[in-house]
Amino acid sequence: MRKERMGLGFGLNLLLLLAMVATNLLSFYHLLSISTTSPTTPSDHPSPPVPDHLLRQLSTIRATINHLTRLHPLSPPSTTTSPSSKSPPSDLLLHSLLLPIATACHDHPDLLHRFMNYTPFSPCPSLPPSLPESLILRGCHPLPRPRCFSRTPPSSPPSLPSDPFPSTLPDSSVLWSSYDSSSSSCKSFSCLNPSLGFDMRSESYRFLKSSDLDLSVPQFLKIAAGLSSPIRLGLDVGGGTGTFAAQMKRLGNATVVSTTMNLGAPYSEAVAVRGLVPLHVPLQQRFPVADGTMDLVRCGHAVNRWIPVPALEFLMYDADRLLRGGGFLWIDHFFCKGGDLEKVYAPMIGRLGYKKLKWASANKTDASGLKNGDVYLTALLQKPALK
């Protein structure tokens, strides 16, 4: 390991030296070109400007020097520095030379160093799910790729369930030791809060009843069929344990991918053992789905007024990017302050230019809603075909 770090440090220093030499050569080239083209230029005539291509090259070299210096300081670290200022792990340095790392990752070096602190080609250390989640939620996404072997649960189900609403979720499909630092320290799905979506009996009745505010899956499929717009593929933003995707699979034979975050509970594992696809991405990042391929994008309860308005608008237009012409945007129980619905959010959604198939609002009557004067919005919109 020590030799590897020494070799890596020598390589970085060599790159810095070459970059500095290149900068001096470009500057000398420019001065030489000036002296050879106009040796008797009077002092009252201004010197010719630096060519744009040289400026671009110099800017690139300077940016490279700054980037490498930030990752690997030229001066050795002081022996009196705090633990948070230790040198980055060797694999993080190597990764940064080969592949890009999100800028926000460098704003949280302690978390990043913990995430990449491992012995290469060995089992990965047991990290709580809160560590990668914390990095992702702070904009460090995609995460760097570690070169260690990920830990797996002791066993996995022999086959996927034919019904995405099994009587129980298999506890053996989760590495529960990763959740020891959580407040509940559960070792079984049965001890998790049923209201979070882990009670399959209760979940089997969700999205089946319609009301003024609620749009059910059967009602949605009927609307889509009436418009001759088949539903084959969809994305459920903030999908929790995957119940919406499960109902779409059972009632419409549609494949819906659910975005998930393991915030204190194994949501991704719950989606997977139901035979569904969890997509581990945050709401503030571009969805890793090809343009114009989705028949449906549903924004669930996770999409609400807590998201800053500019970020929410970018999310809406990313959903538009995914949808094909004639596809559907389903905004399900979005909540915001009552006065902001007509002033802020309705105009934002209206700028998409979609056809309104359902638009219903109602007061949010739980304790938080009453305290903040919140309202719910449920909307079903159809994207026009653009040529």
Side-chain angles (χ1 to χ4, degrees):
M1 176 63 68
R2 185 175 180 181
K3 291 182 178 179
E4 183 180 356
R5 290 181 177 175
M6 292 177 60
L8 185 59
F10 176 78
L12 285 171
N13 290 332
L14 181 60
L15 284 174
L16 289 171
L17 177 61
L18 291 175
M20 293 176 184
V21 171
T23 304
N24 293 332
L25 287 176
L26 287 172
S27 302
F28 177 75
Y29 166 77
H30 176 60
L31 293 173
L32 184 62
S33 64
I34 294 175
S35 62
T36 55
T37 54
S38 49
T40 59
T41 301
S43 58
D44 57 344
H45 284 74
S47 299
V50 180
D52 290 341
H53 71 279
L54 285 181
L55 289 174
R56 287 194 296 269
Q57 293 178 28
L58 286 169
S59 177
T60 301
I61 291 172
R62 288 180 185 132
T64 302
I65 292 174
N66 291 334
H67 178 65
L68 292 175
T69 303
R70 183 172 66 251
L71 289 175
H72 191 75
L74 292 176
S75 59
S78 170
T79 57
T80 60
T81 55
S82 62
S84 62
S85 60
K86 290 182 179 179
S87 298
S90 59
D91 252 30
L92 177 59
L93 292 172
L94 181 59
H95 191 292
S96 65
L97 292 175
L98 302 174
L99 299 167
I101 295 179
T103 303
C105 298
H106 300 292
D107 297 335
H108 307 281
D110 290 346
L111 293 175
L112 183 61
H113 293 182
R114 282 183 61 199
F115 180 75
M116 292 295 287
N117 188 18
Y118 57 85
T119 302
F121 317 118
S122 299
C124 298
S126 181
L127 299 175
S130 59
L131 178 59
E133 305 291 322
S134 296
L135 280 167
I136 291 173
L137 292 175
R138 287 167 171 80
C140 182
H141 187 267
L143 292 171
R145 293 172 172 172
R147 288 191 303 169
C148 57
F149 300 106
S150 62
R151 299 177 181 273
T152 59
S155 62
S156 58
S159 62
L160 294 176
S162 56
D163 183 357
F165 293 94
S167 57
T168 58
L169 298 175
D171 295 331
S172 61
S173 61
V174 177
L175 198 63
W176 293 101
S177 60
S178 299
Y179 295 90
D180 284 345
S181 60
S182 65
S183 58
S184 60
S185 297
C186 271
K187 301 293 184 182
S188 170
F189 281 112
S190 61
C191 71
L192 295 172
N193 189 339
S195 65
L196 298 178
F198 295 98
D199 181 0
M200 292 297 100
R201 179 177 175 83
S202 299
E203 293 297 294
S204 66
Y205 296 103
R206 292 186 62 202
F207 303 107
L208 297 182
K209 295 182 179 180
S210 300
S211 68
D212 291 340
L213 190 63
D214 298 300
L215 179 65
S216 69
V217 167
Q219 183 184 12
F220 166 69
L221 293 173
K222 184 177 180 179
I223 292 173
L227 295 171
S228 300
S229 185
I231 305 300
R232 305 155 299 175
L233 299 173
L235 178 70
D236 187 19
V237 181
T241 59
T243 295
F244 176 77
Q247 295 288 22
M248 290 293 295
K249 178 180 180 180
R250 185 166 69 172
L251 301 177
N253 195 29
T255 300
V256 175
V257 177
S258 305
T259 71
T260 61
M261 294 289 287
N262 283 359
L263 299 175
Y267 291 97
S268 299
E269 292 91 331
V271 174
V273 298
R274 300 173 74 176
L276 307 168
V277 182
L279 193 62
H280 193 214
V281 295
L283 300 183
Q284 68 267 34
Q285 297 291 333
R286 177 185 172 102
F287 297 119
V289 179
D291 297 5
T293 55
M294 296 289 104
D295 304 307
L296 166 68
V297 174
R298 174 184 171 270
C299 296
H301 203 258
V303 180
N304 53 61
R305 65 172 173 84
W306 294 342
I307 302 176
V309 172
L312 180 61
E313 190 160 34
F314 276 109
L315 187 153
M316 291 294 177
Y317 280 87
D318 201 26
D320 172 81
R321 176 184 64 83
L322 306 183
L323 287 171
R324 60 166 175 81
F328 299 94
L329 175 61
W330 180 346
I331 301 172
D332 196 358
H333 283 73
F334 172 87
F335 68 86
C336 64
K337 292 185 180 297
D340 291 339
L341 179 57
E342 295 302 323
K343 293 179 181 179
V344 179
Y345 298 107
M348 176 197 299
I349 298 169
R351 284 192 288 271
L352 292 171
Y354 286 15
K355 180 181 179 181
K356 291 183 180 179
L357 304 176
K358 181 180 179 69
W359 185 278
S361 61
N363 291 330
K364 188 171 182 283
T365 57
D366 60 4
S368 174
L370 294 174
K371 177 182 177 181
N372 296 298
D374 287 338
V375 297
Y376 277 126
L377 168 69
T378 293
L380 181 64
L381 312 164
Q382 186 176 30
K383 178 179 178 176
L386 297 179
K387 297 181 180 180

